């Protein structure tokens, strides 16, 4: 990334201004046009430097249920189970780990009932030997800003 892209990333991590033309305001701070900011964001996303661009909401205040799940998956079925898990729209992260529980993911659903139902379907996938469900009790940090 060039220095302007890094500065743009720093600004975006802090939050987008709640104004009619936020990219124009960001552009003014960077001495860029609104269109240049939009194109730079698109370029960063296309190059894989930005994975996702969107708002962050407090899901617990919205009544959404979420949990962290660890799976013990037989090595020969790991890819298939990971793909099946990732197909759920409520899965936000899905990672392979070197441990007895070798696949970890977060799952969000509109209700506790739907969350439990999907966990049971995932538990029944071929190759899953064990499942641990770790819902959070308290949140202590939800914002990470990496200064570039």
């Amino acid at each position: 990334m060039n220095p302007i892209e890094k500065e743009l990333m720093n600004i975006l991590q802090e939050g987008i201004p709640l104004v009619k033309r936020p990219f124009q305001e960001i552009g003014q701070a960077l001495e860029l046009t609104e269109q240049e900011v939009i194109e730079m964001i698109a370029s960063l996303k296309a190059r894989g430097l930005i994975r996702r661009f969107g708002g962050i909401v407090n899901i617990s205040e919205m009544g959404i249920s979420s949990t962290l799940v660890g799976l013990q998956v037989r090595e020969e079925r790991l890819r298939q189970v990971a793909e099946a898990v990732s197909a759920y729209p409520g899965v936000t992260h899905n990672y392979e780990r070197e441990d007895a529980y070798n696949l970890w993911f977060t799952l969000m659903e509109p209700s506790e009932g739907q969350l439990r139902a999907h966990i049971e379907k995932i538990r029944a996938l071929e190759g899953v030997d064990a499942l641990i469900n770790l819902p959070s009790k308290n949140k202590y940090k939800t914002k990470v800003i990496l200064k570039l």
Side-chain angles (χ1 to χ4, degrees), residues 121-132:
K121 286 180 181 177
I122 291 167
R123 184 188 313 267
L125 291 171
E126 183 182 341
V128 174
D129 291 331
L131 179 147
I132 186 169

Side-chain angles (χ1 to χ4, degrees), residues 17-103:
L18 297 176
V19 296
K20 187 175 182 177
R21 302 194 66 180
F23 300 119
Q24 183 178 56
E25 188 169 308
I26 291 169
Q28 289 171 348
L30 296 172
E31 298 181 1
L32 298 171
T33 67
E34 177 181 40
Q35 188 60 38
E36 287 171 323
V37 170
I38 292 167
E39 289 171 4
M40 193 174 292
I41 292 168
S43 170
L44 290 165
K45 192 162 181 354
R47 290 165 30 213
L49 297 168
I50 295 176
R51 182 180 64 200
R52 182 182 174 283
F53 188 76
I56 298 172
V57 297
N58 186 343
I59 62 167
S60 59
E61 291 296 318
M62 298 174 66
I64 295 172
S65 297
S66 69
T67 192
L68 172 66
V69 178
L71 298 178
Q72 284 183 352
V73 181
R74 282 178 246 138
E75 196 63 39
E76 69 272 10
R77 296 290 303 166
L78 189 61
R79 177 172 293 286
Q80 293 88 347
V81 171
E83 289 173 359
V85 166
S86 291
Y88 282 87
V91 170
T92 60
H93 301 80
N94 189 3
Y95 297 99
E96 179 182 356
R97 300 278 187 209
E98 290 185 19
D99 192 60
Y101 286 87
N102 54 349
L103 191 66

